[in-house]
Amino acid sequence: MATWSDLETELALWHAGGEMPDFWWRDDDTVAHTDTLDRLLDMAETFGAPMHLAVIPDSLNPDLAPRLERAAQTYVLQHGFAHINHEPKGLRASEVGVSRDVALQIEDLRRGWAMLQDAALPNLLPVFTPPWNRIGPDTVAALPDLGFQILSAGEQRITRHPASGLLQFNCHVDPIRWKTGAVFRGTEKTLNHVVEHLAARRTGTTDKDEVTGFLTHHLQTDAATWDFMEAFMERLTHNNRTKWRSLASFLT
């Protein structure tokens, strides 16, 4: 398991090679303006990191747009439609998986995008984030025709889907462990994911241009996870040792 010292060593190796590792930050399941959302956005602003909120359209509260008007470096992504599992028992949860008719999925995604537009959410990007980070291949193939330019899921590397030009920016670091409820994964286990991905990028065992994705869930964050998030951001942004990217910079 990795320690803070291992993270420092990995960052030093990047800088010794004349390079600066880049990251991006996504937070899932936003529906309304809450105290915990304020805490998240304040933290991102403190550390100068663009925030990407994956918003659930069907649960959207009208109080969200006015709050985001005051957060210039916060971007909105579409997070499914209603965050409902449509997979049968025995398959892992997904709203846009392999079991439900793709035509019905497309109808939901169109409705969801229209809801986000009608809500006048600022900095709305054509980025689709599937609930539970799982999406069927037929649904992926339909995304460009729906106007999406980027797909964001979990753990896999950035790819360009050859026929459509769809970009993929995934998240690789999640400080929450979900199997027994939303609890802090632990510092060493979380840092292990960070150091492993940075080392793989640096050594070329994965695509170096795959921006390392940090994933949080402000509505399910316990005290230990908040403490880690603050310490993590402090370490990464101290003396401008890393670059925090917005997905808007990758759009055409």
Side-chain angles (χ1 to χ4, degrees), residues 219-237:
L219 293 175
Q220 293 88 21
T221 299
D222 60 17
T225 307
W226 282 115
D227 288 345
F228 172 83
M229 289 163 58
E230 186 166 6
F232 181 63
M233 295 302 297
E234 175 66 36
R235 297 261 184 166
L236 290 184
T237 60

Side-chain angles (χ1 to χ4, degrees), residues 24-26 171 173 175 212-216 228-229 232-233 244:
W24 77 287
W25 190 348
R26 191 184 98 205
C171 288
V173 182
T212 301
F214 182 42
L215 174 62
T216 56
F228 172 83
M229 289 163 58
F232 181 63
M233 295 302 297
W244 287 80

Side-chain angles (χ1 to χ4, degrees), residues 165-219:
L166 185 71
L167 285 172
Q168 188 165 344
F169 290 85
N170 288 339
C171 288
H172 315 90
V173 182
D174 183 351
I176 294 179
R177 178 170 54 83
W178 297 93
K179 287 187 178 180
T180 56
V183 297
F184 181 42
R185 186 183 302 277
T187 298
E188 292 185 347
K189 290 182 179 179
T190 306
L191 290 179
N192 199 55
H193 293 162
V194 183
V195 172
E196 282 187 348
H197 192 251
L198 289 178
R201 292 177 63 190
R202 177 177 52 81
T203 59
T205 56
T206 192
D207 187 347
K208 184 169 285 189
D209 295 330
E210 180 189 3
V211 183
T212 301
F214 182 42
L215 174 62
T216 56
H217 292 73
H218 68 277
L219 293 175

Side-chain angles (χ1 to χ4, degrees), residues 1-13 187-188 191-192 194-195 198 228 231-232 235-236 241:
M1 294 291 103
T3 65
W4 291 114
S5 294
D6 294 321
L7 176 60
E8 297 288 342
T9 298
E10 182 58 36
L11 293 176
L13 289 170
T187 298
E188 292 185 347
L191 290 179
N192 199 55
V194 183
V195 172
L198 289 178
F228 172 83
F232 181 63
R235 297 261 184 166
L236 290 184
R241 293 187 297 173

Side-chain angles (χ1 to χ4, degrees), residues 133-156:
N133 285 318
R134 301 187 190 105
I135 184 170
D138 291 342
T139 314
V140 172
L143 292 179
D145 288 340
L146 293 171
F148 293 104
Q149 296 183 37
I150 294 175
L151 166 66
S152 178
E155 298 183 358
Q156 301 176 22

